[in-house]
Amino acid sequence: MRLGRQVPLMAGWVQPVAADWALNLPAPKSDIAARIYDIHTLILLICLGIFVVVFGVMFYALFKHRKSVGHQAQHFHEHTSVEVIWTVIPLLILVAMAWPATRAVLDQKDTANPDLSIKVTGYQWKWEYDYLQGGVKFISASSTPADQIANQAAKGAHYLLEVDEPMVVPVGKKVRILLTSHDVIHAWWVPELGVKQDAIPGFIRDTWFRANEIGTYRGQCAELCGRGHAFMPIVVVVKSEADYQAWLAAKQAGKQAKAVAAVAAAAKSFGPAELKARGEKVYAAHCVACHQADGKGVPGAFPALAGSRMVNGPAAAHIDRVLHGKDGSAMTAFQEQLDDADLAAVITWERMAWGNTGSPVQPADVKVLRK
Amino acid sequence: MNTTGNRRTSLRLTLLSAAMFAFGFALVPLYDVFCDLTGLNRDAAQALANNTQVDASRRVRIELVANVQDGALWRFAAPSLPVDVHPGELVQVEYELENLSDRPLIGRAVPSYAPLAAAAHFKKIDCFCFREQRLAPHETVRLPVLFVLDRGVARDMKVVTLSYTFFALGKRT
Amino acid sequence: MEANLAHPLPHEQHAAPAGLWRWLASTNHKDIGTLYFWFAATMFLIGGLMAMLIRAELFQPGLQLVQPEVFNQLTTLHGLIMIFGVIMPAFTGFANWQVPLMIGAPDMAFPRMNNWSFWLLPVAGVFLVGSLFLPGGAVAGGWTMYPPLFMQGGISYDLTIFAIHLMGASSIMGSINIATTILNMRAPGMALMKMPLFVWTWLITAFLLIAVMPVLAGAVTMLLTDRNFGTHFFDAAGGGDPVMFQHVFWFFGHPEVYILILPAFGIISSVITTFSRKPLFGYASMVYATASIAILSFLVWGHHMFTVGMPAAAQLFFMYATLLVAVPTGVKVFNWVATMWRGSLTFETPMLFAVAFVCLFTIGGFSGLVLAMVPVDIQLQDTYYVVAHFHYVLVTGALFSIYAGLYYWLPKWTGHRVNETWGRWHFWLSAVSVNVLFFPMHFLGLAGMPRRIPDYALQFADFNRVASLGGFVFGASQILLLIVILKCIRGGEKAEARAWEGAEGLEWTVPSPAPYHTFTEPPEVK
């Protein structure tokens, strides 16, 4: 068993935490979330009422029927009509509770007539959003820096709830979410929109939401999925229809531009310093969660890159590993997520950081090994 | 102490416990039966659609989705646009599968539907699901699905998603 | 207990046992009951230490003490240990000590199988805790062990499956023993509807265990073969389904939580009747309510899976069935209050824990009702609201009932009265701190904090800090209990046969401490 780094607790004490003391569900931003909020309030009030009545009676007895105030025990031990009443009345209360809930269940499941569909795939430990109509697909990973998690830097306001590429949707439109997973069961959840669904590998399940207000809504993975379960947040940015279309167009153009740039970059040759600088950023975004900021990995779980034979040896094996991952392990293939320039940069960074003595790598070296 | 009585009771309870162990395993086929009865997520048997009358009064959008678990080894793609079909209409779509590696590979696709209730109405005449696909290195194949969305599909079901997840089979290197 | 039973009466057939061999080979229900309690106490310290580590990590945002994969091992083992290593063995300890005494039987139906049932547990315990030191660490997929995550683990996952088989075998053998004893060995005149409610609750619990532990065994065997022998029960690539595991697991899992609470209902009924000096209100309804809860428990497993993608009809069925279970449970709470009503109440430590149980377990019941509402559950599934719910029913519920039972029956077992002052300190410290620890978790879940995370967003920091402080006080307060028990074993004011005024039942007709062999001749029951 390996314990983490010991960091002085004092570093955390002076943390200006966003004090909240929130007592209830967040303010609802969709009709479903609003109905959930109301149903919860109803149940809570009913439970509170029953609690006050029942325990009012009990505390009265605890007080008045004590031996120490001289109360003698009365020997009754059944009363059929009372027992019938306190069986039937709870049953009726439950029926009353179930009625609004039933309506909401049917509506939550009604994915018919969506305005757009987005396929969401859960990965260990990030999300992929694929806009089926728009032809736009991208990874959305946590963008909270590792040094904030390690208590070496002050935590930002959206600590653990920020991503590099949020999901963007238009306001007031019914968005159908098709959920699946690449590896283990995850769950996609945005509290303010009142939507949660499990992402199951090999299966596709759908759910939906319609955001009522423009804004940014944050959620988290809601099914234990390994060491990164706490570190795969969800951010949904709701824009006006016009802004959404603009974003989509930009993304599509960006896809083109990225493809063009990738081709251009692939032909370029970069200096080692430039590669390392760029590679350090790519590493911080994509690799640090497992291989750690010091490159030492996690013994027994994620191999160390510092001092690694593969990283210090011939470049081809190292490039192949990053491009194609390792079957049967948690190492994913990065060939879809990163272009040749980024790949060359991060591989160079790994080969030259932490005292490693490997050689730099150019985008062309990466491109030739792509399959 | 009534040892005979005790022995008899304990034997019955042991049998009960053994029966429940078997029941746990029986749940696996029992769920298949349950899904067949309710039509949930059931791969409607590859059968000839006996009702070929087309319902021209409405269209249903079929979204086509492809997922691949071993993205380093395979490229598995759905047609880029959804198809709008009339219930009862015979439709063919093609998925594309490419072996990205330098060695022959075997794999298999598993279908899934959303919403679940659509599964019972998705009559696939010819489909590559559950069939082993063997591809030579760098070979690309087109995998057709010939299907009919039968007329019984609910009127308010306007969008149905057909999803395939492709898995590599055999030893992992 | 040992001080008085070190020189037990010689038995006609063999010399009195002594020393280590006495404990290894005992076929005496009192000794075996004692063994179960010491095992549960040891596991409680270990599982409790893990809880303290968890709360220490969650004291502030950021990772301070443990890496996430170690945190996941802690939460998983904490759950497995507390459920299978503490609550279930402690209740079995009560069954062993009390059932023969309460029905006028000389011992359990199968004394030797009783011994084996116990000794399987320490072996399983060593496997579970020891797996922390195996390569890859201990199992870390949650006590619920969902695949495919469970497939990713190392050798300790297979060892854990083996440990679960051992504990399951122990429970099944124990339950067959308890059920046979209750059905066949009651003293003449003790009709089923004359038995103390504690015996009824254990009879029904034993049936539940016999019915569902084999299903768990099946589920983990399927995990084992999927992991090692090429089966595809839960692997979509092979035509299987990860959700299948959830169905099989929760088919066991839901009755399991009733297994974890029904004996508590029995203990609390005994304690409240004694300290109210009144018979239990509505005995027959209590029996029927317990039986209905047990039967209904087989129909509600889907409420642990509402977000898995099941159709609306299934969600509605499970919602209605779950709400239905609230009815007999409510009946029991009303009956306890009615027992206290117009009684002559005193508040020795057992009664303090019993009253706290009635109040706080009900809070746990209410949060369960909230979770049963499917639309609300969509928001609250896998959040700290669920953690709050099950800790209220298991800690202020099951654990507090164990405390009540210990304080209540220790005089019978040891021959000494318990030190009331220490008992009261233990009670008040525990009762206050447990609420500081778990009540804020309702708010955390509502506000959006997921469960099973070692680090969280800043808006959750305040309540987490409060909960952790409550946790540290609660953990420390349990040391008091250990002191109370040790003091009571070693000495104290002499306890009468009827140690509590108002106590009814066959166990109070034998001397305190209870002789090594009791009811060798069946007593007369009117």
Side-chain angles (χ1 to χ4, degrees), chain C residues 8 122 130 169 181 195 242 247 307 470 493:
Chain C
T181 308
M195 300 192 303
H247 282 290
T307 57
E493 193 189 321

Side-chain angles (χ1 to χ4, degrees), chain C residues 37-52 78 81-82 85-87 90 394-395 399 402-403 426 430 474-475 477-479 481-482:
Chain C
F37 280 122
W38 284 118
F39 174 74
T42 310
M43 297 303 269
F44 185 56
L45 287 174
I46 297 174
L49 192 64
M50 293 179 175
M52 295 301 104
H78 167 78
I81 286 174
M82 290 306 197
V86 180
I87 303 290
L394 285 175
V395 178
L399 187 67
I402 290 170
Y403 290 169
H426 175 228
S430 300
F474 184 71
S477 308
Q478 306 323 304
I479 312 294
L481 177 67
L482 195 59

Side-chain angles (χ1 to χ4, degrees), chain A residues 1-7 9 12-13 17-26 36 39-40 43 47 50-51 54-55 57-62 65-68 71-79 83 86-87 90-91 94 97-98 101-102 104-106 108-109 124 149 151 155-157 159-161 183-185 189 191 194 196-198 200-203 205 220-227 229-231 292 298, chain C residues 59-70 72 132 140-142 146-149 152 236 240-243 246 276-282 285 307-310 312 315-316 319-320 323-324 327 331 334-335 337-338 340-347 355 358-359 362-363 366 369-370 373-376 378-383 443 446-448 450-459 461-463 465-466 501:
Chain A
M1 182 165 79
R2 172 180 177 274
L3 294 180
R5 269 173 285 277
Q6 298 300 311
V7 176
L9 283 176
W13 266 117
V17 289
D20 217 340
W21 302 104
L23 294 180
N24 205 345
L25 294 163
I36 293 172
I39 293 171
H40 172 252
I43 312 292
C47 289
I50 298 173
F51 188 86
V54 174
F55 294 104
V57 170
M58 189 182 87
F59 278 99
Y60 182 87
L62 293 183
H65 302 157
R66 282 175 290 162
K67 182 176 177 201
S68 58
H71 195 271
Q72 299 284 351
Q74 293 205 335
H75 278 260
F76 59 90
H77 55 87
E78 57 186 8
H79 194 303
E83 293 187 62
W86 73 38
T87 310
L91 199 58
L94 292 171
M97 284 177 170
T102 302
V105 168
L106 296 171
Q108 275 177 313
K109 280 289 183 181
Q124 282 172 312
I149 298 176
N151 306 301
K155 295 175 173 56
Y159 178 72
L160 296 189
L161 291 176
D183 33 51
V184 300
I185 300 180
W189 175 39
K196 180 189 289 159
Q197 182 85 299
D198 286 359
I200 300 162
F203 292 84
R205 296 271 181 266
Q220 292 184 262
C221 176
E223 185 61 61
L224 179 64
C225 51
R227 77 181 307 270
H229 171 53
F231 306 106
Q292 307 299 312
V298 175
Chain C
F59 186 64
Q60 298 169 82
L63 293 175
Q64 284 86 19
L65 294 174
V66 293
Q67 285 295 298
E69 60 275 10
V70 174
N72 289 347
L132 276 168
Y146 285 2
L149 182 63
Q152 293 183 341
D241 185 350
V243 176
Q246 296 185 36
S276 308
R277 293 163 181 75
K278 254 183 86 206
L280 183 65
F281 186 91
S285 344
T307 57
V308 96
M310 68 174 77
Q315 288 178 322
L316 289 173
M319 177 168 84
Y320 299 147
L323 292 178
L324 210 54
V327 176
V331 163
F334 301 146
N335 282 9
V337 174
M340 291 185 244
W341 185 258
R342 300 249 173 95
S344 185
L345 306 170
T346 53
F347 299 104
V355 171
V358 176
C359 212
T362 304
I363 293 180
F366 283 146
L369 213 55
V370 171
M373 297 303 195
V374 173
V376 183
I378 298 302
Q379 289 283 44
L380 300 178
Q381 158 81 311
D382 258 280
T383 65
F443 305 135
L446 286 165
R451 63 183 284 205
R452 295 172 166 164
I453 55 175
D455 191 8
Y456 47 80
L458 300 181
Q459 68 259 36
D462 304 291
F463 279 130
R465 199 168 7 219
V466 170
E501 179 195 35

Side-chain angles (χ1 to χ4, degrees), chain C residues 359-502:
Chain C
C359 212
L360 299 175
F361 170 79
T362 304
I363 293 180
F366 283 146
S367 57
L369 213 55
V370 171
L371 288 167
M373 297 303 195
V374 173
V376 183
D377 186 76
I378 298 302
Q379 289 283 44
L380 300 178
Q381 158 81 311
D382 258 280
T383 65
Y384 259 81
Y385 195 90
V386 179
V387 178
H389 161 69
F390 66 68
H391 280 99
Y392 261 89
V393 290
L394 285 175
V395 178
T396 64
L399 187 67
F400 273 23
S401 80
I402 290 170
Y403 290 169
L406 284 174
Y407 281 101
Y408 184 55
W409 280 308
L410 268 172
K412 175 57 54 190
W413 302 338
T414 64
H416 305 126
R417 302 203 66 77
V418 173
N419 185 312
E420 267 298 305
T421 312
W422 282 87
R424 274 168 215 277
W425 271 102
H426 175 228
F427 170 75
W428 285 108
L429 278 171
S430 300
V432 172
S433 62
V434 84
N435 283 291
V436 174
L437 166 56
F438 293 120
F439 204 78
M441 292 185 183
H442 294 108
F443 305 135
L444 285 171
L446 286 165
M449 180 177 173
R451 63 183 284 205
R452 295 172 166 164
I453 55 175
D455 191 8
Y456 47 80
L458 300 181
Q459 68 259 36
F460 306 127
D462 304 291
F463 279 130
N464 266 293
R465 199 168 7 219
V466 170
S468 288
L469 290 172
F472 300 146
V473 175
F474 184 71
S477 308
Q478 306 323 304
I479 312 294
L480 285 179
L481 177 67
L482 195 59
I483 296 175
V484 165
I485 295 176
L486 288 171
K487 281 168 77 81
C488 184
I489 293 172
R490 292 172 69 214
E493 193 189 321
K494 187 173 180 341
E496 301 295 312
R498 189 174 301 276
W500 308 101
E501 179 195 35

Side-chain angles (χ1 to χ4, degrees), chain C residues 175-192:
Chain C
S175 302
I176 292 177
N177 219 338
I178 292 169
T180 309
T181 308
I182 296 173
L183 289 172
N184 292 359
M185 291 171 65
R186 281 164 287 127
M190 168 128 351
L192 282 173

